[in-house]
PDB file of all heavy atoms in Angstrom:
ATOM      1  N   ILE A  39       4.441  12.705  -0.125  1.00 77.00           N
ATOM      2  CA  ILE A  39       4.790  13.029   1.256  1.00 77.00           C
ATOM      3  C   ILE A  39       3.892  12.211   2.181  1.00 77.00           C
ATOM      4  O   ILE A  39       2.681  12.135   1.988  1.00 77.00           O
ATOM      5  CB  ILE A  39       4.609  14.539   1.516  1.00 77.00           C
ATOM      6  CG1 ILE A  39       5.606  15.323   0.656  1.00 77.00           C
ATOM      7  CG2 ILE A  39       4.778  14.861   2.990  1.00 77.00           C
ATOM      8  CD1 ILE A  39       5.401  16.811   0.686  1.00 77.00           C
ATOM      9  N   PHE A  40       4.508  11.607   3.169  1.00 77.00           N
ATOM     10  CA  PHE A  40       3.755  10.821   4.146  1.00 77.00           C
ATOM     11  C   PHE A  40       3.001  11.785   5.040  1.00 77.00           C
ATOM     12  O   PHE A  40       3.587  12.636   5.702  1.00 77.00           O
ATOM     13  CB  PHE A  40       4.714   9.951   4.959  1.00 77.00           C
ATOM     14  CG  PHE A  40       4.003   8.945   5.793  1.00 77.00           C
ATOM     15  CD1 PHE A  40       3.618   7.740   5.241  1.00 77.00           C
ATOM     16  CD2 PHE A  40       3.701   9.201   7.114  1.00 77.00           C
ATOM     17  CE1 PHE A  40       2.945   6.793   6.000  1.00 77.00           C
ATOM     18  CE2 PHE A  40       3.043   8.264   7.885  1.00 77.00           C
ATOM     19  CZ  PHE A  40       2.660   7.064   7.324  1.00 77.00           C
ATOM     20  N   ALA A  41       1.675  11.677   5.058  1.00 77.00           N
ATOM     21  CA  ALA A  41       0.835  12.594   5.811  1.00 77.00           C
ATOM     22  C   ALA A  41       0.115  11.857   6.942  1.00 77.00           C
ATOM     23  O   ALA A  41      -0.072  10.638   6.873  1.00 77.00           O
ATOM     24  CB  ALA A  41      -0.185  13.229   4.865  1.00 77.00           C
ATOM     25  N   PRO A  42      -0.294  12.567   7.991  1.00 85.00           N
ATOM     26  CA  PRO A  42      -0.960  11.936   9.129  1.00 85.00           C
ATOM     27  C   PRO A  42      -2.211  11.143   8.742  1.00 85.00           C
ATOM     28  O   PRO A  42      -2.504  10.119   9.352  1.00 85.00           O
ATOM     29  CB  PRO A  42      -1.320  13.103  10.044  1.00 85.00           C
ATOM     30  CG  PRO A  42      -0.383  14.188   9.679  1.00 85.00           C
ATOM     31  CD  PRO A  42      -0.086  14.000   8.218  1.00 85.00           C
ATOM     32  N   GLU A  43      -2.931  11.574   7.730  1.00 83.00           N
ATOM     33  CA  GLU A  43      -4.149  10.852   7.338  1.00 83.00           C
ATOM     34  C   GLU A  43      -3.850   9.476   6.752  1.00 83.00           C
ATOM     35  O   GLU A  43      -4.743   8.651   6.587  1.00 83.00           O
ATOM     36  CB  GLU A  43      -5.007  11.669   6.370  1.00 83.00           C
ATOM     37  CG  GLU A  43      -4.391  11.937   5.028  1.00 83.00           C
ATOM     38  CD  GLU A  43      -3.604  13.234   4.936  1.00 83.00           C
ATOM     39  OE1 GLU A  43      -3.362  13.881   5.973  1.00 83.00           O
ATOM     40  OE2 GLU A  43      -3.220  13.593   3.821  1.00 83.00           O
ATOM     41  N   MET A  44      -2.575   9.218   6.459  1.00 84.00           N
ATOM     42  CA  MET A  44      -2.191   7.904   5.929  1.00 84.00           C
ATOM     43  C   MET A  44      -1.961   6.873   7.041  1.00 84.00           C
ATOM     44  O   MET A  44      -1.907   5.676   6.769  1.00 84.00           O
ATOM     45  CB  MET A  44      -0.924   8.030   5.077  1.00 84.00           C
ATOM     46  CG  MET A  44      -1.132   8.892   3.830  1.00 84.00           C
ATOM     47  SD  MET A  44       0.385   9.239   2.949  1.00 84.00           S
ATOM     48  CE  MET A  44       0.675   7.684   2.139  1.00 84.00           C
ATOM     49  N   LEU A  45      -1.840   7.318   8.278  1.00 88.00           N
ATOM     50  CA  LEU A  45      -1.539   6.406   9.381  1.00 88.00           C
ATOM     51  C   LEU A  45      -2.553   5.278   9.552  1.00 88.00           C
ATOM     52  O   LEU A  45      -2.144   4.126   9.743  1.00 88.00           O
ATOM     53  CB  LEU A  45      -1.370   7.177  10.689  1.00 88.00           C
ATOM     54  CG  LEU A  45      -0.067   7.963  10.797  1.00 88.00           C
ATOM     55  CD1 LEU A  45      -0.038   8.772  12.088  1.00 88.00           C
ATOM     56  CD2 LEU A  45       1.128   7.044  10.714  1.00 88.00           C
ATOM     57  N   PRO A  46      -3.868   5.529   9.484  1.00 90.00           N
ATOM     58  CA  PRO A  46      -4.802   4.401   9.596  1.00 90.00           C
ATOM     59  C   PRO A  46      -4.606   3.356   8.500  1.00 90.00           C
ATOM     60  O   PRO A  46      -4.698   2.153   8.756  1.00 90.00           O
ATOM     61  CB  PRO A  46      -6.183   5.053   9.489  1.00 90.00           C
ATOM     62  CG  PRO A  46      -5.966   6.463   9.895  1.00 90.00           C
ATOM     63  CD  PRO A  46      -4.571   6.802   9.433  1.00 90.00           C
ATOM     64  N   GLN A  47      -4.292   3.806   7.292  1.00 89.00           N
ATOM     65  CA  GLN A  47      -4.044   2.873   6.197  1.00 89.00           C
ATOM     66  C   GLN A  47      -2.792   2.046   6.463  1.00 89.00           C
ATOM     67  O   GLN A  47      -2.784   0.830   6.262  1.00 89.00           O
ATOM     68  CB  GLN A  47      -3.877   3.639   4.882  1.00 89.00           C
ATOM     69  CG  GLN A  47      -5.126   4.377   4.447  1.00 89.00           C
ATOM     70  CD  GLN A  47      -4.842   5.287   3.273  1.00 89.00           C
ATOM     71  OE1 GLN A  47      -4.281   4.847   2.287  1.00 89.00           O
ATOM     72  NE2 GLN A  47      -5.243   6.538   3.380  1.00 89.00           N
ATOM     73  N   VAL A  48      -1.741   2.697   6.922  1.00 90.00           N
ATOM     74  CA  VAL A  48      -0.490   1.994   7.223  1.00 90.00           C
ATOM     75  C   VAL A  48      -0.712   0.991   8.355  1.00 90.00           C
ATOM     76  O   VAL A  48      -0.246  -0.142   8.280  1.00 90.00           O
ATOM     77  CB  VAL A  48       0.629   2.996   7.578  1.00 90.00           C
ATOM     78  CG1 VAL A  48       1.865   2.278   8.108  1.00 90.00           C
ATOM     79  CG2 VAL A  48       0.985   3.843   6.368  1.00 90.00           C
TER      80      VAL A  48
END
Side-chain angles (χ1 to χ4, degrees):
I39 295 172
F40 191 84
E43 65 268 10
M44 296 172 76
L45 286 176
Q47 296 171 51
V48 171

